[in-house]
Amino acid sequence: MIDLLTVPFMRHTLIAGVLVALGLAPLSVYVVLRRIVFVGAAVAEISSAGVALAVLFQVEPFAVALVLTVLTFLGFSRAADSPRLPLEALIGMLYAGGSAAAVLLIVKAPRGEGEILNVLFGNILTVPVALLWAMVATFAIVGALQFFASKELLISAYDPDMARALGINVNLWNTVFYVALGFAVAIAIRGVGALLTFTLLVAPGAAALCFVRGLGAAFVVATTMGLVATVAGVFASYLFDFPTGPTIVAILAAVFALSYGYAAIRGT
Amino acid sequence: MANELVSVRGVTLGYGSRIILKNLNFAIQRGDFMGVMGPNGSGKTTLLKALLGLLTPIGGSIDLTPHDGVPLRIGYVTQRERLDSHFPLSSLEVAVMGRFGMIGAMRRPRRQDYEIARGCLRRVGMEHRAALPYRELSGGQQQRVLIARALAGEPDLLLLDEPTNGMDLEAERAIMELLLDLQSEKSTTIVFVTHLLSAIEHFARRVALITRDGTVVIGAKEQMLAPETIARAYAAQEL
């Protein structure tokens, strides 16, 4: 199994997997608690529309996708407190609208659909070194933000009225959270694809919340689960010649199923 | 007046063009133990939000008197039903939130913040539940933790939104007696909003009654609980 580390592209795959797991798994706790789990799926569609648009007009696809992703999350931060509509309705409409726009734009794009999908959804087996460094920088900043602004992020999500009464700017911190999430999701989709990004934004947090008894423990357990499942997935895909992304997703799904079953048996 | 902690002068409250409460004039005195009552939808929570600074008055002013030159600190006890039970927070983690406004941006709570929060849990008889998940506590225990959370911010004024909602009479009595103890122990000014006449009748010293025409009348409990006063305030709801 150690052979894997001697193959350069598999080394990159492993590093990319570890970075994405370290970056997204802690975020997944808040994504689940804030009830925005489908945000990853909706943003992937928005991002794909952006890439198709960029290809159509022959500009840098990732830059357009990044800007659109961050703008979408910025919109979520404004809509989070809306008394008019639950946030999930907005997420659903963005998913539908983004999908339709992507298909319509891809049809008219000068390059082939396969090429666009590769630019958009990335492939964990072909992550370039420059993107690995961009991941390191992005996830380090997002991680530091989560650590140092833990109290602002927590109380803004848990009890916004209390937060405002304490003088904490809930709108500002919601915006910071969603923009950070936007950067993390955009770079993760570019590196490892939409499916793995979406799964890492949900499964580790959901699995951890099944049995932890404290929020601090939820972050530690979610990160550990995300990391172990990703590394196991990379090794399993190498050993059994499976596609890497779906293998990691399958392991994360199994981890969640076991955690959920454990919680159900314990009655928690 | 030197004894006034909060002074409400000519205040009109509402959302957009919708006026909920108008021309409010009253004061909250230092050491008050005041109950705010009124029919459902009369504007009790709106008034509370305005006192907390969460809602800017359409007209008039709300003045908070500084305490020894330090801006007035308000502790807020939210309705416990509004808190999401999916958050896996221990009682201590909930209580320490009361310190968040005093710590500074991008700084994590320190050991002394947790010690103060633990001390507040002790004051409300919940220190032995500090490590337990908040969501696994009974309604009365959760209310105590939320009161501890508000106390952790060392407030001059404690505002409580429906503190005994959904509780049986025994639990209601326990919570209200705890508040009375806290008030007499440190002269903390306490204002609680409730739709339950029993909490007002048995425990409040002064009563603010929100009437059907959107004004607030304040007086001694005996005067405000007179049948004709209550009938006037609640008439609109019965129609």
Side-chain angles (χ1 to χ4, degrees), chain A residues 30 33-35 144-152 154-155 157-159 161-162 164-166 168 173 209 212-216 218 268, chain B residues 49 52 54 76 78 82-84 86-90 93-94 97-98 100-101 103-109 132-136 149-150:
Chain A
Y30 272 126
L33 288 174
R34 283 177 174 257
R35 299 161 199 255
L145 178 77
Q146 277 189 281
F147 182 79
F148 289 108
S150 60
K151 71 177 193 304
E152 287 88 355
L154 168 62
I155 201 165
Y158 182 63
D159 192 352
D161 279 349
M162 171 81 174
R164 291 187 185 100
L166 291 172
I168 291 169
W173 286 106
L209 289 168
V212 295
R213 289 166 72 86
L215 193 62
T268 54
Chain B
K49 282 184 174 178
L52 281 165
L54 304 181
Y76 175 47
T78 191
R82 297 185 62 179
L83 299 179
D84 189 340
H86 288 107
F87 280 71
L89 297 165
S90 69
E93 285 174 318
V94 171
M97 286 182 196
F100 283 5
I103 295 173
M106 301 282 282
R107 286 174 185 269
R108 294 168 65 82
L132 283 185
Y134 168 81
R135 63 187 174 194
E136 291 178 14
R149 181 174 74 158

Side-chain angles (χ1 to χ4, degrees), chain B residues 59-212:
Chain B
S61 65
I62 298 176
D63 298 317
L64 308 177
T65 310
H67 183 64
D68 294 337
V70 178
L72 193 73
R73 282 201 288 251
I74 300 180
Y76 175 47
V77 182
T78 191
Q79 288 185 36
R80 64 188 184 288
E81 297 86 358
R82 297 185 62 179
L83 299 179
D84 189 340
S85 63
H86 288 107
F87 280 71
L89 297 165
S90 69
S91 302
L92 184 62
E93 285 174 318
V94 171
V96 83
M97 286 182 196
R99 305 286 302 165
F100 283 5
M102 310 169 85
I103 295 173
M106 301 282 282
R107 286 174 185 269
R108 294 168 65 82
R110 300 147 296 182
R111 181 186 295 268
Q112 72 187 73
D113 294 307
Y114 283 100
E115 286 310 314
I116 290 169
R118 190 179 288 279
C120 293
L121 286 173
R122 192 179 310 127
R123 279 175 73 188
V124 301
M126 288 298 293
E127 192 187 11
H128 62 300
R129 297 274 193 265
L132 283 185
Y134 168 81
R135 63 187 174 194
E136 291 178 14
L137 303 178
S138 69
Q141 289 173 329
Q142 287 184 346
Q143 197 62 57
R144 286 172 183 268
V145 172
L146 293 183
I147 291 170
R149 181 174 74 158
L151 293 174
E154 299 166 24
D156 305 298
L157 169 63
L158 200 56
L159 295 178
L160 302 100
D161 196 359
E162 301 282 4
T164 59
N165 203 17
M167 290 183 189
D168 58 30
L169 282 176
E170 193 182 336
E172 175 185 286
R173 172 174 293 277
I175 290 295
M176 295 309 295
E177 283 177 352
L178 168 68
L179 291 175
L180 282 170
D181 287 347
L182 293 172
Q183 197 270 341
S184 57
E185 193 183 305
K186 284 203 170 178
S187 292
T188 306
T189 307
I190 294 179
V191 175
F192 64 98
V193 162
T194 183
H195 70 282
L196 299 172
L197 278 174
S198 55
I200 296 274
E201 186 183 357
H202 293 115
F203 301 101
R205 296 199 185 123
R206 285 209 307 154
V207 176
L209 181 62
I210 300 181
T211 65
R212 62 177 171 170

Side-chain angles (χ1 to χ4, degrees), chain A residues 89-115:
Chain A
L90 186 64
I91 294 171
M93 286 316 301
L94 281 170
Y95 178 82
S99 308
V103 170
L104 294 174
L105 290 166
I106 286 171
V107 167
K108 294 292 178 189
R111 278 193 259 170
E113 186 182 338
E115 195 180 347

